[in-house]
Amino acid sequence: MADRTAPNCRLRLEWVYGYRGHQCRNNLYYTAAKEIVYFVAGVGVVYNTREHKQKFYLGHNDDIISLALHPERVLVATGQVGKEPYICVWDSYTVQTVSILKDMHTHGISCLAFDLDGQVSIFDISWDLYQQSKLVSCGVKHIKFWSLCGNALTPKRGVFGKNGDLQTILCLACAKDEITYSGALNGDIYVWKGISLIRTVQGAHGSGIFSMNACEEGFATGGRDGCIRLWDLNFKPITVIDLRETDQGYKGLSVRSVCWRGDHILVGTQDSEIFEVVVHDRTKPFLIMQGHCEGELWALAVHPTKPLAMTGSDDRSVRIWSLVDHALIARCNMEEPIRCAAVSTDGIHLALGMKDGSFTVLRVRDMTEVVHIKDRKEAIHELKYSPDGAHLAVGSNDNSVDIYGVVQRYKKAGECVGSSSFITHMDWSTDSKYLQTNDGNGRRLFYRMPSGKEVTNREELKLVQWSSWTCVLGSEVNGIWPKYSDINDINSVEANFNSQVLVTADDYGLVKLFRYPCVRKGAKFKKYLGHSAHITNVRWSHDYQWVITIGGADHSVFQWKFVPERKSKETLHLAPQETLVDSHSEESDSDQSDVPEMDSEIEQETQLTYRRQVYKEDLPQLKEQCKEKHRAMAMKKRERAPASGLRLHFIHGYRGYDCRSNLFYTQTGEIVYHVAAVGVVYNRQQNTQRFYLGHDDDILCLAIHPIKDYVATGQVGRDSSIHVWETEFLKPLSVLKGFHQFGVLLGLPTVPYIGGSKDKIFVIKVNPYMPDKLITAGVKHMKFWHRAGGGLIGKKGSMGKTETMMCAVYGWTEEMVFSGTCTGDICIWRDMFLVKTVKAHDGPVFSMHALEKGFVTGGKDGIVALWDDTFERCLKTYAIKRAVLAPGSKGLLLEDNPSIRAISLGHGHILVGTKNGEILEVEKNGPITLLVQVKHRFSCQICLTNRGMMCCSLSGRCCCFSPDGKSLAVGLNDGSFLIVNAETLEDLVSFHHRKDIISDIRFSPVTGKYLAVASGDSLVDIYNVMSSKRVGVCKGSMNYITHLDWDKRGKLLQVNTSAKEQLFFEAPRGKKQTIPATEVDKIDWSTWTCVLGSSCEGIWPAVSEVTEVTSACLSNDRKLLATGDDLGYVKLFKYPVKGKYAKFKQYMAHSTHVTNVRWSHDDSLLASVGGFDTCLMIWSHETEGRREARQCDSEESDIESEDDGGYDSDVTRENEIIYVIKALSTNVRPMTGVKPLLQLKEPSVDESITFRSAQCCTMNLFPRFYSVARYNQSHTSLLSLFSFQNNLTFTGTISGDVCVWKEHILVRIVAKAHTGPVFTMYTTLRDGLIVTGGKERPSKEGGALKLWDQELKRCRAFRLETGQIIDCVRSVCRGKGKILVGTRNAEIIEVGEKNAACNILVNGHMDGPIWGLGAHPTRDVFLSAAEDGTVRLWDISERKMLNKVNLGHPARAVSYSPEGDMVAIGMKNGEFIILLVTSLKIWGKKRDQRSAIQDIRFSPDSRYLAVGSSENAVDFYDLTLGPQLNRINCCRDIPSFVMQMDFSADSCYVQLSTGAYKRVVYEVPSGKQVTEQAVIDRITWATWTSVLGDEVVGIWSRNTDKADVTCTCVSHSGLNIVTGDDFGMVKLFDFPCPEKFAKHKRFLGHSAHLTNIRFTSGDRFVVSAGGDDRRYLLRCC
């Protein structure tokens, strides 16, 4: 059988030819050691020019595209491309990783820079080394100057001014005195002072400046013109070096990187060359590195007798490399791109296959042409000389192979035409008589040579030996193909017959080493990284010393040193930096395996997933989604939660089936472990438990501090958390989140974050001697990690066969590690090298504990073994069996020799945890005591008897005791059930009538004559227990049965199904009955475990679509209903639970679904069973009188209602507010159509936009507290809060009460401090008096503002005199004898404490946006109209409100008449009103429309009134006809709703801007549309408020894809136009502005969209109105 193991030999990267010059800049530097650092492909290269040696950094897995050097020139930072790119910081001396920065970028990291302190920042930037926390970035038509403050960066855009053109900036360098130099695309250098451009160095280069380098001597720049220019420190020119004119120069040379140090200059070019220029001999640059550049690199051939390699590329060059000297020794440029190459067997000729279908033969010695032949149209993909040198085979993409005679000057001798796709690979036989080919369709064909006739008889080929093997198809290479791979994934292979090794190159940038032949699928290999993308070719050198690989897109040539097996063993003890470059790993792609059979427990554990369909952290969001749906129900009165509660009393169980090493002794000798979502501290002497209840999902791991007083537990979750807590008081010390997904594995002391791994980790241990080191072990891996900066670097342990490791510990020294495997072996490691293995157990070694002088191990064989300190001798073994249990044990073992999952030592005992959830204590002399026990996974139900509660450990799904407690019925998974003796568990009788699981089983009450058995077959069978016969079947359910209950007479069955049916059947025949809901409540039920029906309607949560109530049980006194659900909650309701969404007490301890709950016979205990958490929890029932507040006791409801302390409209409105940035979400108007800036071709002008959302100035307390305090009354919503001295806290509630707290205990309630909600409270330390504000109707006795004494017993009430029916105070402040009050009506009032005098300081609109705005034509006053139903008159000079008119309906538009004597107001209901200004009396009103009036305007001659509405209509009214306001005409065919209107100066025309982004013009009063543009152009407009039209195209910003310009107004002088938009910005433009993206000034102040804007008379002020911010701003012009 062929060997599937990886070969023992290996490869080591020796040399990389090339440099990444394309698409990269500024990536070439001198280090402190005067070495050169650069990158190519995915490798960082440090090149010593003096010794001609390279060192490699191999920490990347994709193309490196950026590099930065620390100012001290030792540390290097490199950034790569990729979906999740990262930055590596590494040492240029040791090429070891210092830090890895990830999770901050996507796609790629294009540029890097170090600051003066060496901190890496990832921008297209240059740090200003002379100014701390300053940096500069540049790019397409911009330069930005950034300030770093804390963790925030603030940019300022560079001001180009008149000193230079706005253009793309390519490179930067910073100097002293805030001077920055930048290279531009046109070859100029811009000099900046601060953020301003102060001068331009014109013509510094002939074209774009790609690189700029600052050094002690000055500055060096390099550009596309091929020139290097040196500048002094004041940026005055020193010299110019034109590389194109030097000995090594050529036309088209482009400089991409430049570095100046002393007398030497490093230059990197676009064509992947690195030059070193000595300044005093600048005409003779030294070419120190070169490589291929353009296109892709495909052609590779090796010389048959010399250490030479030939490569050819799409750049049309063929190059010959010396593998000994690591240098290019010859180069020749061809006419066409080169795709393949081959050297004749005598080494004289070099054949090159071209992309155009031709091939050329050159003489190797002088690169002169021998022959050029073109017989094909498609590219030549493969060339091969025959071993005898007589023929050349040429394979093309024309699906054919041509055979040419070498001696006959390459005359065509034959043709192979059997392939159906392009030719990919070819090999000759050793006798040159046969040729095998591979093609793109995956076919392997054979031909007889030189005729080219296909060989179809495979018998003829049995004895054929192949001269080489480069084909990817064939039985000899079956094992190289990974699962699910494409036929073109592996690009090249070649076999080394001498060492029986095969090397492959693939599309994923991997070089792999296999054994040859590689016959069996899933062969293991060693892999090597370095190339960043697809590797196109691979070849062995003539003497098999080296492997040469070439990258397609990375243009690089890698030379790997082949280390045979004998030498590979000698290098095992190399220093870490020497082995780092060898990125070998042993893997397999096959499901087939030649390792021992996988253990069933390990297989089950590796397949476990901890993902949840619904996480508990999703509940608030789900409830929010259900709020609207259930709002009507929420307003109804609901029964309060029960006064009594539950306390977790005891948990039977331990998490052992998928966890290990999670059981420890504490400092005091107690035992700490975990089960479900609970951390348990167990006192074995008193048989009591204490609980840490901080988790809300499955705890997966537990670690204890070396001092054994702190514990860390990690849980399941989308954002998994780690809790650190102390064992004495069970208080959390810290909660760590944000690093893990789905689940956490722990090791203590604290370890840094380890990035995700495809290998599942079973154990993690920190080195106790060196905390910077740790190990992880798991599925087929053992990794050794060390901390590097802020990250971790790990390497796999070196061993033969890769085993799955189940446990690991550190030994007696820092380098010794011991691990247990899945096969029962103990692996002994020194550093990362395996020393030896010892057979320890039959089956996996699941747990291991290190002693001072030895070890204890436990395995699947149920044996605890005590070993010496070298694992040489087993000192003692303990077999875990029932026979050796001590008399004091609390139960029996489920089985002998259970699988041991955890071992810990302490206090003279060995603590053992088993897979079956048992905890045992083993004394060193042999006795074993069982301390904790529970059911095995999926095998327990709880049952009730009149004597108490029992747990059934039979493998079943349900169970029930008979009424006399003598018999026990158990339903099984296979559809059968048993009746057994309750004392001895001996079988009495069994039945098997169903195929699906038995889901519930119930004895009839009193005598237990009948037994009802429900199954997953959707049937309930009724059996006569006395006769042991089935007497009835209940049919008619649509889905499987979930719950059963008998009535007290034993005559009626109640059934629930998974289809949420509540059915009734008569016993014993099972006849279906229909019973009205009102009658069901009258039936006296023996038990109630059903979850459906009017009596338990309220137990279903608002989010019942995603979670189910799985179980319920009614207490025997019929007052309490306990439930369990899918999320692991145990809830307590008052019974009956009428109405939806009842209040409840909620308890969290189970981690997943609760499968059953049951009360004990006297209601003193409640038992709950978890599904996947496999534990039985006992809860003690505490009545109201003796109940204490506990952590797990939570009273709550799924929705809020008025009995949460009362309903208040203001509180409800506030709870419904969602604070989003409206400018980024929606437009203020529902616009349709094409925006003005898109209606014409957009010019190429760059513009930026700045916006700001409204600031949050106050913090509102969330109106629910769950764990702040507990008191005997039901919770109510808390709206205000402040703390006082003596640890007193005062809180105001929605019901008007004030609660007084001492620490977290409620000590007093001040009832009805206000008649409505208490919204705000304030106090001072000066006198301790307390001010409260609330919602209250003004009266002689009280008001919404009250001043209290320190104890909140006496108060003085103040009337605010606002004129409102109900005052609502939202904010208060007190000082200097006055109280400052903020009201809901947007007023700020100052109240005197002594005289109660009220002074209104600030007024404003209350609800809804302000839409209408009208400026008086001659006076400095203006009107505002809002949806609060008021129109307000404001004085601009006095900055106060003069008057207010209540309209009774929301207002949308307002306008003054030209004389200012009348005001027209448009309403939201379609009505409009005209008021006389002097008396504010209604002159006339009319309603001809049903929807909102959007704008209203008087004509300049005061004759007409135009009214525009949302109904796509404008109505005209003749005011000379009197206040009857008869409509005389209207405008028709308006494309959308009207936004703004403007009259012409002669009152003959009106222009409209509409919601379809169209401006239309109509005649007045005829309403006829004007379509002739010439007529429109001649019109003079009296006003301009339209956002549309050719005159205002320039007001529309480029960034209006999500927001619009909402309002405009042209000044009375006609010179300026001011606008408001959805971003909340006011902008000032010149008028007219017909060019797009006109320049402007912008002003901030509003938080979201503006609705209206106006110039006042004389253009002295601009008034702007905000929408939802309900404010207006005055701006001086």
Side-chain angles (χ1 to χ4, degrees), residues 5 116 140 188 245-246 437 599 776 1065 1071 1128 1357-1358 1375 1412 1447 1469 1508:
T5 61
L116 190 59
V140 177
D188 293 344
E245 303 299 328
T246 62
T437 64
D599 183 82
T776 60
F1065 299 92
K1071 183 179 180 181
F1358 298 87
L1447 302 173
N1469 64 353

Side-chain angles (χ1 to χ4, degrees), residues 223-235:
R224 190 174 181 180
D225 57 2
C227 292
I228 305 297
R229 295 201 67 167
L230 304 183
W231 312 78
D232 65 12
L233 293 174
N234 296 318
F235 228 86

